[in-house]
Amino acid sequence: MHRWPVNIPIKEDGGIALEVFGQELSLSRVHPTTLSYSLGEGAATRLVAVSENANIVRFVPTLGERALLIFPRSKLLCPAGLSIRVVFALPVHLHLGVGTEADMRLVDDIAPPTITRSLYGPVDAGLICTSVRAIAAMSINQLRDEASDECAPELRFGEDIELADIEIGDDPQMSDAGDELPQSIRNELVAYMFLRVHNTTELPLEVSKVMVPINTLSLYQTRDYLLSNEIHLRLLSRQEAEISSGTCPDVDGVPIDLGQGRFAVPDRRPHLFAYAYRSKTGLDYGF
Amino acid sequence: MDFINEQMRALVRGFGRVGGWEALAPYGIALLTMIAGYVAARSLARAMETLIRQTGSVHSALIARKLVFYVVFLVVFVVALANMGIKVSGLLAAAGIFTVAIGFAAQTSVSNVISGFFLFFDRPFSINDTVKIDTVLGTVISIDLLSTRIRTFDNLMVRIPNEGLLKATITNYTLYSVRRVEIQVSVAYGSDLKKTRETILGVMDRHRLILDEPAPAVIFDILADSGVNLLVRGWAERVDYITARSELTMGIHDALNAAEINIPFPQRVVHLEQVGPWRVESYVAKEELELEEEIVEPVSDDADEEIEEIDIQTDETMV
């Protein structure tokens, strides 16, 4: 059973109310070619143009458009010649689309409200990234246990939606068995990313942050969770590292369709990063 | 009517005497060449601008457009002169004679043009950049051969000669994608400085527009007259600078209030040193007293007693 994408039919006489990242999302048809859309408490309502035959609202998880700058809460110390493999939880965005099964149009890219940004590189030429302060664990189960006290973002369907109508993922049984599901279905809005660090130098090196270009990542879904490609980080020297993306770590992982037949195809070229931007004073950004 | 017809015939006869309509042909061709050349120069310049805009900056596209236009039009102008039978070499020789005079007359213009070329290569700013040129702050709307135009934030157009730009101090606010937000905060003496630092760092950590890296910093700057001055520094994306600064200031104020950390008003502590009680006496000139007696009530007989009371109060205060 796969949980994504989530398709919800738009009814002529009713609206849709959901909870996304703890915010209320409401959609209702106010005209055959117009939807009323609002996200968040007190947010202004927006009118959305749709085609007359649009009958589905679709939610698809993505990793956003910015590169990820991951700060492991526990720094990774890798002695010479050894490797370490850890897993992080990454926040995902939600693409909201409206249309028909064949013609889906993107309406909004809903980002987690708690998301922050970081600069990777020098202040005159750095890259703005999505900042991720993540627990590093050895396995997804361990990560879930460690992060159990933290409230994971999720997509939650309100009680006013008839669950039998919701088409979740590509498993027909899930839709057919809607009445048997708990009233509140929750789709976790995190993706798990495995990182393998290999130290090729003669010195023990510490990894305090990892920049992952977004064009190297796809999202895959398994029965229980979302996964991204496994990332390989080769430490070449104190100030240089090479990053490349591998395949989905779970052989049963299915790439998530972003709509209209588009899949996020990973760029397999390795990226070389140099950390030589530290100024000679020892201060990264000076005063 | 006959008079008009007669005049027209006289005009035609006159043309016949100076060479006829054929004599005007070179001038017509020259005029047509100029018009066609102008149109061609404009078209070529625009095509060049479109081409460069696809790959380069707006600034480069604009400069290329002007350069192409002036070069093409200059060639067309020379061709048109040749059509009219004017020898360009003779014109250049004549220009040589007048070079000194022209040099003096066009000194400012030539200086501006040369400065414009220097600015093009130096590139301290581009079109649509927000800049401060000496005291003028605004957005660059055009960079011409002679001058640069700035639209200020109160919607005024300021034209600055390029010569002046070369000498001016230019601050470009839009060159880099991130800016440092700096806010000065003062907390009262006696405040818990460690708690103050943690409170302010907490505000910056939670703020969506302040970047996690470069890491925000709180620096204890000066032990000032009224309190301890701090410098709060965080980085934000350039486009969010004003919002980040405003929201951060508000957030710090609210967080310090919530943590019961006082932001001091300017104050001066005056220490009064007096060994004994203070004696307060009222001296009134005798003449004034006599005058006042006529219009106001006489001074109370209890005046001496009041002085005594003040002595007592002052004494208590000092203790």
Side-chain angles (χ1 to χ4, degrees), chain A residues 246-261:
Chain A
T247 54
C248 175
D250 189 321
V251 289
D252 296 327
V254 179
I256 293 176
D257 183 2
L258 293 175
Q260 297 186 329

Side-chain angles (χ1 to χ4, degrees), chain A residues 71 116-117 119 131 209 287, chain B residues 209 211-214 233 237:
Chain A
F71 299 93
T116 53
R117 285 166 284 179
L119 182 77
S131 186
K209 60 188 170 191
F287 279 96
Chain B
L209 298 180
L211 301 178
D212 292 345
E213 193 166 303
R233 287 171 174 172
E237 281 190 69

Side-chain angles (χ1 to χ4, degrees), chain A residues 230-249:
Chain A
E230 181 161 340
I231 296 294
H232 302 281
L233 182 69
R234 286 177 66 229
L235 305 177
L236 305 174
S237 71
R238 263 188 198 283
Q239 294 185 330
E240 274 187 330
E242 186 185 73
I243 200 163
S244 59
S245 70
T247 54
C248 175

Side-chain angles (χ1 to χ4, degrees), chain A:
Chain A
M1 187 275 289
H2 296 129
R3 286 177 173 267
W4 302 100
V6 172
N7 291 328
I8 303 173
I10 310 169
K11 291 181 178 172
E12 292 298 328
D13 54 344
I16 296 168
L18 304 166
E19 192 182 302
V20 184
F21 300 119
Q23 302 176 94
E24 279 181 27
L25 182 151
S26 70
L27 268 168
S28 60
R29 193 160 216 144
V30 292
H31 185 267
T33 58
T34 313
L35 289 181
S36 163
Y37 165 54
S38 71
L39 176 66
E41 197 176 338
T45 301
R46 286 178 280 178
L47 297 176
V48 184
V50 291
S51 64
E52 274 190 41
N53 52 358
N55 56 359
I56 297 172
V57 173
R58 175 177 286 175
F59 292 93
V60 186
T62 72
L63 284 167
E65 291 180 352
R66 291 179 193 266
L68 301 171
L69 187 57
I70 302 167
F71 299 93
R73 287 194 195 169
S74 315
K75 289 180 182 173
L76 311 174
L77 180 60
C78 202
L82 293 183
S83 295
I84 185 170
R85 186 177 188 248
V86 291
V87 60
F88 300 109
L90 307 176
V92 297
H93 294 226
L94 265 188
H95 269 189
L96 166 65
V98 177
T100 60
E101 193 64 49
D103 182 18
M104 189 59 64
R105 303 295 171 100
L106 179 68
V107 171
D108 200 0
D109 178 6
I110 306 169
T114 53
I115 218 160
T116 53
R117 285 166 284 179
S118 280
L119 182 77
Y120 179 76
V123 288
D124 58 344
L127 177 72
I128 301 284
C129 305
T130 296
S131 186
V132 181
R133 293 191 186 280
I135 297 172
M138 297 299 109
S139 67
I140 293 176
N141 287 337
Q142 188 192 352
L143 187 60
R144 285 183 155 182
D145 289 343
E146 285 192 26
S148 59
D149 53 337
E150 293 180 16
C151 188
E154 57 193 14
L155 172 66
R156 190 193 289 257
F157 305 108
E159 295 187 356
D160 51 343
I161 291 182
E162 292 173 30
L163 295 172
D165 288 340
I166 303 172
E167 188 187 309
I168 298 172
D170 56 1
D171 190 342
Q173 288 182 353
M174 184 74 177
S175 304
D176 296 343
D179 290 337
E180 296 167 20
L181 293 169
Q183 185 58 41
S184 173
I185 303 176
R186 296 178 300 176
N187 271 17
E188 198 180 44
L189 291 175
V190 290
Y192 296 97
M193 190 191 80
F194 282 89
L195 170 74
R196 183 181 290 279
V197 181
H198 179 60
N199 185 356
T200 62
T201 69
E202 299 296 319
L203 299 162
L205 293 176
E206 193 176 74
V207 176
S208 57
K209 60 188 170 191
V210 183
M211 200 280 264
V212 185
I214 208 69
N215 60 359
T216 63
L217 297 179
S218 285
L219 269 186
Y220 302 85
Q221 57 181 325
T222 64
R223 183 174 172 79
D224 299 318
Y225 35 69
L226 293 172
L227 284 171
S228 78
N229 311 72
E230 181 161 340
I231 296 294
H232 302 281
L233 182 69
R234 286 177 66 229
L235 305 177
L236 305 174
S237 71
R238 263 188 198 283
Q239 294 185 330
E240 274 187 330
E242 186 185 73
I243 200 163
S244 59
S245 70
T247 54
C248 175
D250 189 321
V251 289
D252 296 327
V254 179
I256 293 176
D257 183 2
L258 293 175
Q260 297 186 329
R262 289 183 301 113
F263 285 86
V265 181
D267 175 4
R268 301 288 182 200
R269 286 176 301 171
H271 290 254
L272 186 71
F273 298 108
Y275 296 88
Y277 62 80
R278 286 172 189 277
S279 64
K280 288 176 184 172
T281 59
L283 294 167
D284 275 9
Y285 305 103
F287 279 96

